[in-house]
Structures are given as C-alpha cells and as structure tokens.
Amino acid sequence: MYEHDVIVVGAGGAGLRAAIAAHEEGADVALVTKLHPVRSHTGAAEGGINAALRDGDDWELHAYDTMKGSDYLGDAPAIDVFAQDAPEEVVQLEHWGMPFSREDDGRASQRPFGGMSFPRTTYAGAETGHHLLHTMYEQVVKRGIEVYDEWYVTNLAVTDHDDPEDRECHGAVAYEIATGNVEGFRANDGVILATGGLGQAFDHTTNAVANTGDGCAMAYRAGVPLEDMEMIQFHPTTLPSTGVLISEGVRGEGGILYNDDEERFMFEYGYANNDGELASRDVVSRAELTEVNNGRGIEDEYVHLDMRHLGEERILDRLENILHLAEDFEGVDGLDEPMPVKPGQHYAMGGIECDENGHTCIDGLYAAGETACVSLHGANRLGGNALPELLVFGARAGRHAAGADMKDAEIATGPSAQSEPGDVEPPVEPGAVDAGSDDVAADGAAVEPDEVLEHTVRRERERVESLLEEDGINHAEVRSDVQETMTENVNVFREEDNLRQALRDIRRGRERYQDVAVADPSRTYNTDLIHTMETRNILDVAEAITLGALAREEFRGAHWRAEFQERRDEEWIKHTMLAWDGGTPNLYYKPVLLESQWKEYEPKERSY
Amino acid sequence: MSTIEQQEPDETETETETETAVESPGDRRRREKADRAVEDEARRETEEAADEFDEAVDLKVFRYDPEVQGKEEPRFDDFTVPFHKGMTVLDALIYSRDHYDSSLTFRHSCRQAVCGSDALFINGRQRLACKTQIADLDGDTIRVEPLPHQEVVKDLVVDMEHFYEQMHAVEPYFDADELPDDEMEEQRQSRENREKIKMSTRCIWCGACMSSCNIAAGDNEYLGPAAINKAYRFAMDEREGENRKQERLRIVEQEHGVWRCQTQFSCTEVCPKDIPLTEHIQELKRESVKNNLKFW
Ligand SMILES: Cc1cc2nc3c(=O)[nH]c(=O)nc-3n(C[C@H](O)[C@H](O)[C@H](O)COP(=O)(O)OP(=O)(O)OC[C@H]3O[C@@H](n4cnc5c(N)ncnc54)[C@H](O)[C@@H]3O)c2cc1C
Ligand code: SF4
Ligand code: FES
C-alpha cells in the first residue's frame, strides 16, 4: 500500500495544477496516471487560453460571454470565480516560463476567439496545450512531487453508506501496467479525479485514445451524480479522415469556410450574419452539416476551410502547427489549398458533479478538469475556456483537498440537492446488467479507512484475475459498436428514434460485456487488459450521455433535437442529473444558478 | 542496460515444463490460458494467410514477452492489413491488434504527433508511427521494431526510464533570477528571443533522437540530444537571467555533456518535431567556451 495526503488521479493540465496547489499548501501529494504526464491530452490543445488581461477587458465581460455561450446552463458562482481567477493563473504560467507568443512590447499576445467579445485568448503558436502541459510538468519536477506513471486507476475506495452523501473516499486502487501489480493508494486528505475527456465514446473524435471517461465512470459508480452529460461539444473543424483538430485559431485569424459551390455559407445562408465563421462552435457545426445534408458538401462529407489569403508569413508565425497537421494527416498543403473539415466530437461539457472547490458529494473525493462539471460551460463551451478551467479549478481542488481554509461552496451537490424527479422512458433497462458488480466496494459502512481500501484492493485483484484467466470475447468489438452507434445516433443532430436505438445498442453492448475476457494472459504491460477495463467505462458514459439527451426535450446550446426546435427556458433551465443508485440510473434535475454573490444573469437569446 | 538483440530469431524452442509441485489454482488457470492463447494464435495465423485483400500492406512486427510461453524468445509476426489512402503505420498496428492479436502491445495515445508515445523503429529509422504515412514508405513490407538501444519491456514497448532520468538531470524547469514586483505583470520577452527558443520548446520527449545517437549507445551517462536541447531551451531564455544561465552551462559542460557530441546529425535527422538538435548542441559548446574564457 502507498500512502499520501492527497492522491491526484491523472496528470494532464488539471491534475498537475491540482498537485502543485496541494503541494504549496504543505500536503504530501502524489500523481497517479495511466500515461506519463507529458503524454496527457492537454498537450494536444492548440488555440489558446482565455483571461481578461488587458485594458478594456475585465472579468465581468469574460463571465458574461461565458454565461451567454453556455446558453444559460452554466452556474453563475462557477463562472464568476472562473473569470476572476483566470488572469492570475495565466500570468502565473507566464512566470513559470511558458513560451507564449509575444507582442512587440514583449507581453503575451492575445487573439480573438469564437463567442468572445474581446480578443482575450492568450496563446503559444498553435500548440498552446503542449507548452502548458510541459511548463506545468516542469514545475512538478522542480517541486519533487511524486509521480506514479503508467499506473491505471481501476476503482475508488469508498464506503458503502446507503446515502452517497454519507460516503467517504479513502483512496484509490491502481494497476501497475509494467508489472501487473494491483495496489492500494491511501489518501489521508483526499482523492482528486483529473482523468480528462471521454471522446472515445464516439468514433470520430479529436480526443486521444486514452480519453475513455474513466473518472466519470468511477465516480458515477461510487455514487456521485453525473451532470449535463448530454452536452457534448462537436468541433466544426476536424480533419475528416482522423478527427485531428484544426484549431479555432484559424478562424480567429480570419480563416473562411466554403461549401462545394465555393459559397461563404456562414453568411450566404444566414447561419450567423454577425459573426460568420467566428460564431459559437455549435452554430458552425450545425451549419456545416446542414450544407452537407443539403447536397452542398464536398464529396458529401465535408466543407473547406481556407487560410491561404492570410499570407505565408502570418500563417507561419501563428498557425504553423496547422500546416503540419494538414500535411501529415490529410496530405494537404494549407498554404496552397483549402483544408477539408467536418464536425467531430471534441469536449464533454458535463461530467462529475462538483462545487466550485472541486468537491463532490462524497467526503474526500474531488474532481477537476474536463472530467468534472462545476457547471462552467453549461450547454456550450467557448473555445479557449477549458485550459483556464484546468488551472482555476485544478488549483482550487488541490488547495481544498489539502485542507486550505476556503469559504463554503455556493453550489450544492449530491442527490439531496434534487429538485424534481426526471421523467424518461428508455426502451430498454439502463444500468448494470449484473447490478452491484463493481460499485462501492466496502463491507459495511463503519469500517476503518485501511479496511475500506484493502477490501477494494481485494475486489480489484479478483476482477483482474478473472479477466486474465477466463476465456471470452474480445472487448474491441463491443467498444467499436458503442462508438459507432454514438456517432450515428447521438451526434450533432438528435432525434428520438435514434436516441432510443443508441440505448438499445448500448444495452446489447453491456450484455456482451459480461462475456469479455482478455486474450493476453501476460502480467507485463498488458494493454489488452487496460483497454478491456476502459470499455466498461465507455459503456457507462455513453449511456449517461444518451439518457440525458433523450430526456432533454428542447434545443439548447450543443443539444439539438429534431422534435424540439426551441430553447424552452421556463421548463429547461435546469441541470440533468444522473445517479447510479446501485446500478439503476436515477434521473433528476437540479436548478441552474443564474445568480452569484456578484452578479445576476438574465437569459437572452443567443445571436451571432 | 541490456539490449535485446533484434535479429530474426530462430524457431522458438519449446521449453520443458518447469512445473513446480505447488502451483496455485490461479497460476494453473493462467498457464492453461497461455496454452490456449498459443493455440488460438496458430489458428489465427492460418486464417490470416487465407485472407485476401484487394490492396494490402504487410507488417512485420517485432514480438517479445518475457512472461508468456512461446513469446519469451524475440521473433517477428506478420500481419496483412487492408490499405486505404491516408493510413498511417499506427493505424495498421491498431488494425492488427483489434483484428488479429489483441496481445500486440505498443504505446500510443494522441494520434497527432504531440504525445510522443509511439516512437518506433520503422523500416530501419526512428519515426512516430502516427505521423508515418504508409504510402510514403518504400518497399512491400513494413518492418516495425522497438526503439533500438533501449531495453524492451514487451513487443514494441521500451523502458523510457533512462531517457526520463537524463531529461531530469538538466534541471528542466524555468527558474527566473527575479520576477516582476507586481504579481499581475508579465515578464517581458522579445519576439526575437521567443523565436530563438521556439524550436527547442517543441520537444515531445519521444526518445527518437536518443535512440538514433551512436554516442548515447556507447556512453550510458551521456545526457543525450533531448536533454541538452532542454538545457538550451532554458539557457537561451532571456527571462531566466545570467546567474542561472551560468549554472545551466555548467551542467552541460560536464564530462558526459555537450563535448561528447560528434556532430553526426543523426538526432536532427530523426526528430519528428524538426528541432535542429545538433545546432543547439553546437551553440551550447560555443557558449561554454565563451563562458570559460570569461572566468579563466
Ligand atoms: C485537440 C484538442 C484541442 C483543444 N484545444 C483547446 C484550446 O485551444 N483551448 C482550450 O481551452 N481547450 C482546448 N481543448 C480542451 C482541453 O485541452 C481539454 O479539455 C483539457 O486539456 C483536458 O485536460 P485534463 O487535465 O482534464 O485532461 P487530460 O489532459 O486528458 O489528462 C487526463 C489525465 O488523466 C489520466 N488518466 C485518465 N484515466 C486514468 C485512469 N483510469 N487512471 C490513471 N490515470 C488516468 C491520463 O493519463 C492523463 O494524465 C482542446 C482539446 C482537444 C482534444
Ligand atoms: S528532441 Fe525531437 S526526437 Fe528528441 S525527444 Fe524531443 S521530439 Fe523526440
Ligand atoms: S500517438 Fe501521440 S505522438 Fe503518435
């Protein structure tokens, strides 16, 4: 058994920032991560990081844009704290040596981004995330923070009190990939989940292969509700063959979208008469697919993004990385030809419910980064808002877990914050097929922390043993079936019949998953085993996304429904919550907070 | 560091069963499963041979697992993969794993040349599998091996620990002599200075350079191109200040530092991020000469 004050699961931007913050509060921290930290997907972020740094801009404008962008599904306390803390965090990154692009006066450059009323997106070429990730990892090295890399966390050690709000998290169990050892990690003060995105629930995604929603699924099964899972962001400019992202920076710098008739459709077909290509991501994604569906797409699949007119010098200065991506992954020279693009899954706005200190309803369990939902992005995340989120909420979770004195949270969490029961009739029974197989693992509620952990370790060892020893089907088919149905049926455009079909397919996936086993019997670097366990998590998050989408009968932000073409504020300014409840997903709603201690927001129409 | 010979291995010898009297039920089940895995694989191989594709690529992949009977001797497996335009070597490996043999082991994550986890030895050269278009490779067969000069853990996975240690040895973190008084004030950095360090900041820690370097192969203590490049990244950053720069130069001037480099350019040739590594090493040599002149 290993023991630390704070265990951070995941070492992308959120995990690294949380670890640094907890360390600065004097805690003994460890990072446990299935990849080496510099391999985390934060490194793939391209466009930039938003913060009100310059004259003429201030946090209130940033907060306002974020709330409007969220289509009034963000919580004001989260948004306000975020916009207030972001500048300090970005300047701190600069003080840690981050190689930002520079203005003539030597200060960090900022550029315009979609949905922002001020050019407040700070960037480092078109590889901002790479520099952010490395800069923060360097600070972790400098502080000598312990890193367990290539350790896959399989479960949380949580007591099994009936009410999740009485439960406590005492640590986590992880599998050492190189050796096959399953070990307990005891956390005296707290476990912070910073496991990143869940893009692998879809088959056309900008996300890394490692983004399998592990944190969401583990927290969910331990009793923490998932919030607004239906809110999946599709990015309008991904390369058709691979899903590799072409940064919004291209449109920020003036890149133009054309259909097959070489029309600048954002204006000519009136999708966004004010902002054109720089309208919010959901608007642009729908515009592109409408063009394709109406026969104006290129090869019936994609549209063109053109940046040739920006000139070689500007492209090389600010978007050089994009040239490499288009060349390496699509064989297109962006200086000479337009680049093919189409929408792809990009970001999960929903996730593990937590308050503005990262705390979940389970004592000692925190979440930060893309896996979490403080409710900052609501129904639509603005480009450049995820990286500052990692910093702001990573730092807050780290400080809080380390016991730093912070004010009570304004955002309530847990099933008791329930306001109204949900009403959804899925075509098949959702949830565990063999209920209770691996949710909370403790024997009785009142046991000692070490026993809770030991018990969980035992169960995880058994799970690994049986996967390794038994014969069965390969997980890969189950996984690809789920990914396909999600892309086919739970995409940018959603219809009731399709959503029902997806739930049936997921159910079938669950049934087949009962028969999976790992073909590779080895204890050494068994990626087959890891992928098999990840597939279980993919099933849980895919189902949560689809259930939420079926239940939300309106059109808000990224969530478009064929049958409901309007935003319905009276009924639907509320968060979709899904609690596992021993294997039976329980859907309920909780109110959106449009008021914080600083401001009150009035829902307005989103026009671009 | 033991390096596994990556040559075409002989027919695998079947070891005599070293069964101990006290085999636990778990061990037994695992052993039985291992036996079944070997049988399954034999069957798969025959099926594979029967598969016919219109257009296909042949992968020859290095295999080794110290733990599994029949795989503890290094060997090569052949996989036939349907080809489509735009396909990368990583796609072909994933296809082989998902369709033929789920135990085929390699690292990968981002699929877009930023995570640095899939540097491999492909057709005799260090490359990122995700960034290597099959159409750009010559020959009918693609030969995929782990990075040379590193210890093989299993199949295509090598132990990166030594590489990380060398990176850490150069104190790879920003350390300014002083920061602006106002906490909210940025440090100023000129565009020229950013331009100067820009290429050096692109390193994704893939290890290709180190694996291609003859000097590193012979001198285990040599810092290696990636770590020296990291030192360059900070030494040349005007925000750090003169004191720190002196310390950084002292690190790279040591016996197993910049002076070991014999400017063979192999690192520069293989770096997937086009970092001019040899040039950076040369520049640090010049700096350290100047540095010494100043003091002696
Ligand atoms: C291509 C792309 C471009 C983007 N560009 C921008 C941009 O320009 N601006 C912006 O603001 N946002 C951008 N985003 C969004 C943003 O980059 C991500 O939301 C953010 O980086 C996620 O960071 P994270 O720390 O939450 O997760 P990650 O960086 O994904 O890290 C997750 C960590 O968790 C670990 N992990 C996962 N599961 C387990 C497990 N079971 N056990 C142990 N460890 C585990 C992984 O090893 C990894 O270390 C972009 C996203 C993508 C995909
Ligand atoms: S310098 Fe280039 S080859 Fe070497 S580790 Fe960095 S990216 Fe890889
Ligand atoms: S998979 Fe990340 S660099 Fe190739």
Side-chain angles (χ1 to χ4, degrees), chain A residues 468-471 518 524, chain B residues 29 33 36 67 111 187:
Chain A
L468 287 176
E469 287 168 10
E470 273 153 34
D471 287 324
V518 176
T524 305
Chain B
R29 283 196 298 274
K33 182 158 177 170
R36 285 194 299 274
E67 237 190 291
R111 305 146 28 260
Q187 308 159 96

Side-chain angles (χ1 to χ4, degrees), chain A residues 39 94-95 97 104 108 130 138 150 207 209 242 328 468-471 518 520 522 524 528, chain B residues 29 33 36 65 67 102 107 109 111 115 131 133 154 172 185-187 191 201-202 230 233 239:
Chain A
R39 319 273 181 234
E94 204 284 338
H95 287 180
D104 287 338
H130 163 79
E138 289 159 15
E150 299 196 330
N207 280 202
V209 178
T242 49
D328 294 340
L468 287 176
E469 287 168 10
E470 273 153 34
D471 287 324
V518 176
D520 184 357
S522 178
T524 305
D528 195 4
Chain B
R29 283 196 298 274
K33 182 158 177 170
R36 285 194 299 274
D65 185 332
E67 237 190 291
S102 62
R107 289 192 182 98
S109 187
R111 305 146 28 260
C115 76
K131 202 189 155 184
Q133 291 279 328
K154 173 174 167 182
E185 182 64 31
E186 293 137 65
Q187 308 159 96
R191 280 179 191 255
T201 62
R202 292 202 170 153
K230 195 80 181 165
R233 179 251 171 279
R239 294 171 297 173

Side-chain angles (χ1 to χ4, degrees), chain B residues 18-33:
Chain B
T18 47
E19 211 161 317
T20 40
V22 280
E23 191 186 39
S24 76
D27 284 346
R28 185 172 45 77
R29 283 196 298 274
R30 256 201 306 286
R31 181 175 50 77
E32 286 169 4
K33 182 158 177 170

Side-chain angles (χ1 to χ4, degrees), chain B residues 15-167:
Chain B
E15 277 195 35
T16 38
E17 292 268 285
T18 47
E19 211 161 317
T20 40
V22 280
E23 191 186 39
S24 76
D27 284 346
R28 185 172 45 77
R29 283 196 298 274
R30 256 201 306 286
R31 181 175 50 77
E32 286 169 4
K33 182 158 177 170
D35 294 345
R36 285 194 299 274
V38 174
E39 282 166 30
D40 281 355
E41 194 171 304
R43 200 187 56 238
R44 260 194 313 264
E45 272 169 18
T46 0
E47 281 169 16
E48 242 165 77
D51 261 335
E52 290 281 331
F53 302 112
D54 280 354
E55 238 196 308
V57 284
D58 290 314
L59 286 195
K60 209 173 211 0
V61 185
F62 177 86
R63 303 299 301 273
Y64 162 75
D65 185 332
E67 237 190 291
V68 175
Q69 203 196 7
K71 285 174 65 179
E72 72 274 55
E73 287 296 322
R75 65 191 167 125
F76 281 84
D77 272 354
D78 293 320
F79 299 104
T80 307
V81 176
F83 174 77
H84 60 84
K85 191 181 155 283
M87 191 167 179
T88 63
V89 173
L90 179 63
D91 295 330
L93 285 171
I94 292 175
Y95 186 95
S96 308
R97 181 194 68 199
D98 288 352
H99 290 82
Y100 299 134
D101 182 354
S102 62
S103 73
L104 176 60
T105 305
F106 48 95
R107 289 192 182 98
H108 68 301
S109 187
C110 70
R111 305 146 28 260
Q112 59 182 91
V114 290
C115 76
S117 60
D118 64 343
L120 294 169
F121 199 55
I122 300 168
N123 282 4
R125 185 182 193 264
Q126 287 78 2
R127 314 174 202 247
L128 293 180
C130 66
K131 202 189 155 184
T132 305
Q133 291 279 328
I134 288 175
D136 292 344
L137 294 173
D138 296 331
D140 303 330
T141 308
I142 299 169
R143 202 178 153 99
V144 188
E145 296 160 84
L147 287 180
H149 308 307
Q150 333 274 85
E151 201 173 332
V152 179
V153 178
K154 173 174 167 182
D155 292 353
L156 301 172
V157 172
V158 294
D159 186 349
M160 291 291 286
E161 215 42 59
H162 177 64
F163 178 82
Y164 296 147
E165 275 166 22
Q166 300 306 73
M167 292 300 269

